[in-house]
Amino acid sequence: MTDAPAPPRERPISPHLQVWRWHITMLTSILHRASGVALYVGALILAGWAVALASGPDAYNFYQGLLGSIFGKLVLFGLTLAVAYHLANGIRHLVWDTGRGLDIKSADASGIAVIVFTVVASVALWLFAWIAGVFY
């Protein structure tokens, strides 16, 4: 009888994203993290706006011109998407915290609802702003 240690077993390797079959709850989880990162970027943009405001009319006009450019509006629309998505998905998570909507069918349906809400709310908000004359 030998008391030799058993050879070490290979540790299992978690499959990468290409191995998993994509589903809506996987997408919504990734988008929730991405929208959170985008909101941090939005906070930096807001802080830059406040610094420009405090720096005087020239700096403020430059910053407003930057935000009013095509690229600036595209970034602001992306931030609108991030806010709407993070809000809707946060409410979805609050519902989950009550123990409701955790079955696969409900989770998939609420994920689709969050994505639809995000697109509709963002487009509606920008359309309302355009009709109200915010853009020039």
Side-chain angles (χ1 to χ4, degrees):
M1 204 172 192
T2 63
D3 289 329
R9 294 180 6 190
E10 285 190 39
R11 295 180 55 140
I13 299 174
S14 179
H16 198 268
L17 291 177
Q18 291 95 352
V19 177
W20 289 101
R21 181 184 60 85
W22 279 79
H23 49 91
I24 191 73
T25 52
M26 183 178 180
L27 175 66
T28 56
S29 176
I30 292 168
L31 288 176
H32 192 75
R33 288 169 175 81
S35 67
V37 170
L39 292 176
Y40 277 109
V41 173
L44 293 174
I45 291 171
L46 182 63
W49 176 82
V51 168
L53 182 63
S55 297
D58 291 336
Y60 181 74
N61 287 334
F62 174 78
Y63 204 80
Q64 286 295 94
L66 187 64
L67 291 178
S69 69
I70 297 293
F71 179 72
K73 288 179 183 174
L74 186 64
V75 168
L76 291 175
F77 183 74
L79 287 172
T80 306
L81 286 169
V83 168
Y85 182 83
H86 214 75
L87 171 70
N89 206 44
I91 292 170
R92 178 179 178 226
H93 277 265
L94 286 174
V95 171
W96 283 356
D97 287 344
T98 67
R100 293 186 211 110
L102 295 172
D103 60 288
I104 293 173
K105 188 176 179 181
S106 297
D108 288 349
S110 64
I112 292 169
V114 163
I115 292 170
V116 168
F117 170 81
T118 298
V119 172
V120 170
S122 297
V123 169
L125 182 66
W126 276 70
L127 193 62
F128 176 75
W130 181 69
I131 290 171
V134 173
F135 302 120
Y136 45 91

